Amino acid sequence: MTGKGNVKINVWINEERLDALRKAGLDRLAKEEFAGMMLLEVTCTEEQKDKLLEQYPTAKYDSSTTHSIELLPREVKDKIFETSLQLRSTGPEVIENMLSRGGGK
Amino acid sequence: MTSYVGHNGKTIVDRVEADGREGRLGGMLTIPVRREIAHEIISLSYGFFTPLEGFMNREQVESTLNEMELPDGTLWSIPIVFDLAPEKISEYGLRSGDEVLLEYDGSPIARFSMDDIFDYNTDEMSEKTYGTKDLKHPGVKRTHSYQGKFIGGKVTLVNEPKFNPPYDRFWMTPKQHIDAFRKKKWKHIVAHQTRNVPHTGHEALMKQAWFAANEDMPVDQIRTGILVNAIIGEKRVGDYIDESILLTQDALRQYGYFREDVHMVTFTLWDMRYAGPREAIFHAILRTNLGCTHHMFGRDHAGVGNFYRPYDAQDLLKQYREKLSIKPVFLMENWYCPECAEVTNASVCGHEKKAQNFSGTLLRSILTDGVKPTKKVMRPEVFDVVMKSASDYGVGSPFVTEKYLASRRPIFNLRKMEVQKA
């Protein structure tokens, strides 16, 4: 573990994903954003953020408003969601676990 | 004889020469044109810009910018110009009165009878068209990229474009639009301007516009239709790809969200100028020429950034209402209201504080993640079509990327012609 996470990665949750979260007892972590679409906020550390941006050059960090990593490839976001479910967590251990397994690749 | 009447009661312009007359083109001076000009040649020749028959001369540009009308008093808002570098004009030895052959992508496209070669101050053109000289405005940037001199004159299409799939299913000339409406027996046709993949907010706007356009006509025999007329032209990275726009708009009818007899999708070749109010006037003129009787105008129509206030376009349309040959349908924005548990309109919903606004950024983020939105946000079939078109045409993305721009299949091709050069 590399410290407390203060960088956000937003994962969209639809009905199908909400069902999976419910089964894992994590549905309370998803917050309603828009017309039934929910967001799961996974956090990571500054160090993990730098690693992700290095691995995925198309991704951007919004440092001024949302403090979140945007435009991560779809496969990476899928992987983050799966890892979050598996670890029953939304903390930095999700990204640490994913990076240790070679990221979303 | 069938009549085709367009903006300000003028007959729809038709300057298209029949195939097989290329022999007449031999020996003419040939000038290559870029995509932007080629698209406008096609639109001018088929009458999308009726009553214009060609690129504007100086008098027409001045009158458009200063009086919002053509010299004969017909309402007009956006300059339609042909630009060329002064050195090219010298190199070709061009003079007013000359006729040249314009060529696009290696094929002849049109005859151009030049009646005026002139200079125009692009700062003035920008400020009067867009209300700003700020180069951050894409229309201003476009105006400043003009090559120094302008040439006015009539164009005649000598080589009709052959549209590639999927565009071929959605292409109609103005006369073909009017014929299609007559065949459908539509009396009222409301135009919906779009460059978007539809979410449920857009769909609701179209339905609201249908009711407004139906006015006092009976509902037991439907005689009102919605024309979804997509703007296909210059693309910027991050825009929806053209193929996704057309196919998803059409999917709304195919999957029953609109009845077969009230909805149709076509497109117009036009580069958005993002001129806000003046572009709204132009869209009204354009859709009049397609045979529409009504035109829906929502919040921030044809705007960009913070250059215009949300209802500036509607205000200008009201100002010129008497000179329009189409009835504007004004709407406020739709939002999702968790209290009403539906997509509703700002004009009628009393839960403003709880309203959840449709935002392009939000939709983009959902689609980029490839997560199927809830039905309240986007129809599942629309999402499936977006994803399929992304794979078929967008190198994996429903949004324009550099890769898409470099590799996209042309919208149309021109027939190769053997023409003897000058």
Side-chain angles (χ1 to χ4, degrees):
Chain A
M1 187 82 137
T2 46
K4 194 176 180 307
N6 54 7
V7 175
K8 291 187 288 183
I9 301 168
N10 291 319
V11 180
W12 282 105
I13 304 296
N14 57 7
E15 288 128 337
E16 193 183 313
R17 284 185 166 182
L18 185 64
D19 219 36
L21 282 175
R22 214 171 268 135
K23 283 175 189 153
L26 293 173
D27 54 315
R28 66 196 150 76
L29 298 177
K31 58 172 188 181
E32 167 125 11
E33 184 70 17
F34 176 73
M37 289 298 289
M38 304 181 99
L39 272 179
L40 184 70
E41 195 176 286
V42 175
T43 58
C44 70
T45 65
E46 287 287 332
E47 194 186 333
Q48 289 171 337
K49 175 200 79 183
D50 294 339
K51 279 187 191 165
L52 283 171
L53 294 180
E54 195 185 316
Q55 278 196 25
Y56 307 103
T58 55
K60 301 267 180 285
Y61 176 58
D62 180 349
S63 58
S64 56
T65 51
T66 61
H67 303 284
S68 61
I69 303 176
E70 303 293 338
L71 302 175
L72 276 167
R74 176 184 169 179
E75 312 77 61
V76 179
K77 298 287 277 289
D78 288 349
K79 202 82 187 166
I80 292 172
F81 178 70
E82 285 162 23
T83 310
S84 181
L85 271 183
Q86 194 188 334
L87 299 181
R88 293 173 179 257
S89 163
T90 54
E93 53 274 21
V94 172
I95 301 301
E96 184 169 274
N97 181 295
M98 207 186 76
L99 288 170
S100 70
R101 290 186 289 134
K105 290 177 180 170
Chain B
M1 191 168 154
T2 317
S3 68
Y4 297 96
V5 178
H7 175 50
N8 201 26
K10 305 283 173 68
T11 300
I12 294 292
V13 167
D14 185 349
R15 299 186 61 83
V16 182
E17 212 158 64
D19 281 355
R21 302 181 72 181
E22 48 258 54
R24 292 180 53 191
L25 308 174
M28 288 175 77
L29 175 67
T30 303
I31 298 178
V33 296
R34 61 187 191 279
R35 182 204 58 76
E36 291 91 325
I37 297 284
H39 278 199
E40 292 193 348
I41 288 170
I42 293 168
S43 293
L44 283 162
S45 303
Y46 284 117
F48 286 85
F49 303 165
T50 296
L52 291 186
E53 295 182 294
F55 292 101
M56 287 181 165
N57 56 32
R58 186 183 178 88
E59 188 192 6
Q60 289 173 314
V61 172
E62 268 177 351
S63 173
T64 298
L65 295 177
N66 297 327
E67 312 298 334
M68 191 81 82
E69 62 186 29
L70 297 173
D72 72 353
T74 300
L75 178 70
W76 201 271
S77 56
I78 306 264
I80 306 293
V81 291
F82 182 103
D83 61 307
L84 200 61
E87 53 274 24
K88 286 284 177 193
I89 289 177
S90 306
E91 185 189 316
Y92 293 129
L94 300 178
R95 285 188 302 190
S96 291
D98 287 351
E99 185 175 61
V100 298
L101 183 62
L102 301 177
E103 184 182 75
Y104 174 62
D105 199 21
S107 295
I109 181 166
R111 288 191 285 113
F112 185 25
S113 304
M114 302 182 292
D115 67 24
D116 192 13
I117 300 176
F118 60 101
D119 299 299
Y120 212 96
N121 182 318
T122 47
D123 259 347
E124 186 191 335
M125 197 184 280
S126 297
E127 192 160 26
K128 288 185 172 164
T129 309
Y130 303 105
T132 177
K133 289 191 277 188
D134 189 339
L135 280 165
K136 288 195 206 83
H137 188 298
V140 174
K141 197 173 162 195
R142 179 189 177 99
T143 304
H144 278 273
S145 72
Y146 289 148
Q147 298 175 59
K149 287 270 190 189
F150 298 98
I151 308 178
K154 292 181 183 178
V155 290
T156 309
L157 194 71
V158 297
N159 194 358
E160 294 198 71
K162 186 177 182 324
F163 286 87
N164 291 314
Y167 302 98
D168 53 348
R169 284 169 48 200
F170 303 103
W171 168 250
M172 278 188 191
T173 66
K175 285 185 175 177
Q176 288 169 340
H177 276 88
I178 294 168
D179 287 341
F181 299 153
R182 284 176 180 152
K183 197 172 168 196
K184 286 173 180 290
K185 299 193 168 93
W186 287 354
K187 300 285 181 208
H188 288 186
I189 302 103
V190 59
H192 175 71
Q193 144 79 28
T194 190
R195 49 198 166 90
N196 274 306
V197 161
H199 52 57
T200 50
H202 294 129
E203 182 189 320
L205 280 174
M206 287 186 257
K207 288 175 173 168
Q208 291 153 3
W210 185 92
F211 282 104
N214 195 55
E215 298 184 357
D216 59 350
M217 295 215 295
V219 286
D220 54 343
Q221 278 191 320
I222 300 295
R223 292 285 178 265
T224 296
I226 301 160
L227 176 71
V228 180
N229 188 238
I231 289 298
I232 302 293
E234 184 173 19
K235 302 303 284 186
R236 298 188 296 178
V237 168
D239 290 345
Y240 283 111
I241 61 171
D242 291 329
E243 295 89 344
S244 286
I245 297 168
L246 290 168
L247 293 168
T248 54
Q249 291 285 356
D250 203 50
L252 284 177
R253 189 191 65 261
Q254 283 183 26
Y255 292 98
Y257 298 104
F258 286 98
R259 285 168 48 149
E260 273 295 330
D261 56 352
V262 301
H263 179 267
M264 93 187 226
V265 180
T266 62
F267 69 92
T268 295
L269 293 175
W270 170 250
D271 290 343
M272 282 292 294
R273 309 298 209 262
Y274 303 97
R278 275 191 180 245
E279 184 137 3
I281 298 270
F282 175 79
H283 289 166
I285 294 169
L286 172 66
R287 274 58 187 246
T288 305
N289 289 331
L290 302 186
C292 296
T293 55
H294 296 67
H295 196 306
M296 194 270 275
F297 293 97
R299 188 179 191 274
D300 199 23
H301 186 94
V304 62
N306 294 317
F307 285 100
Y308 310 105
R309 286 171 303 184
Y311 296 100
D312 277 356
Q314 296 189 5
D315 290 342
L316 196 70
L317 286 157
K318 277 181 243 165
Q319 193 182 324
Y320 287 95
R321 178 69 191 86
E322 293 304 311
K323 298 186 95 179
L324 291 172
S325 315
I326 196 167
K327 199 182 268 191
V329 173
F330 296 132
L331 292 170
M332 291 180 81
E333 74 269 34
N334 278 335
W335 58 45
Y336 178 75
C337 172
E339 288 297 314
C340 302
E342 65 181 1
V343 174
T344 182
N345 194 275
S347 296
V348 291
C349 177
H351 305 114
E352 189 181 355
K353 285 184 182 158
K354 293 184 179 173
Q356 298 176 352
N357 290 303
F358 286 91
S359 101
T361 313
L362 188 135
L363 260 294
R364 179 181 312 276
S365 156
I366 295 173
L367 293 179
T368 302
D369 281 11
V371 177
K372 192 172 222 166
T374 60
K375 288 176 185 173
K376 293 171 192 162
V377 177
M378 182 176 277
R379 303 298 188 182
E381 298 91 342
V382 168
F383 175 78
D384 292 342
V385 173
V386 175
M387 288 302 144
K388 185 167 186 322
S389 59
S391 155
D392 291 350
Y393 304 104
V395 281
S397 170
F399 302 107
V400 171
T401 57
E402 296 290 354
K403 209 170 162 188
Y404 169 81
L405 290 174
S407 63
R408 73 179 291 192
R409 191 174 177 199
I411 295 170
F412 63 85
N413 291 112
L414 293 173
R415 189 165 53 90
K416 296 292 169 202
M417 283 182 176
E418 289 301 321
V419 174
Q420 189 195 339
K421 301 265 180 185

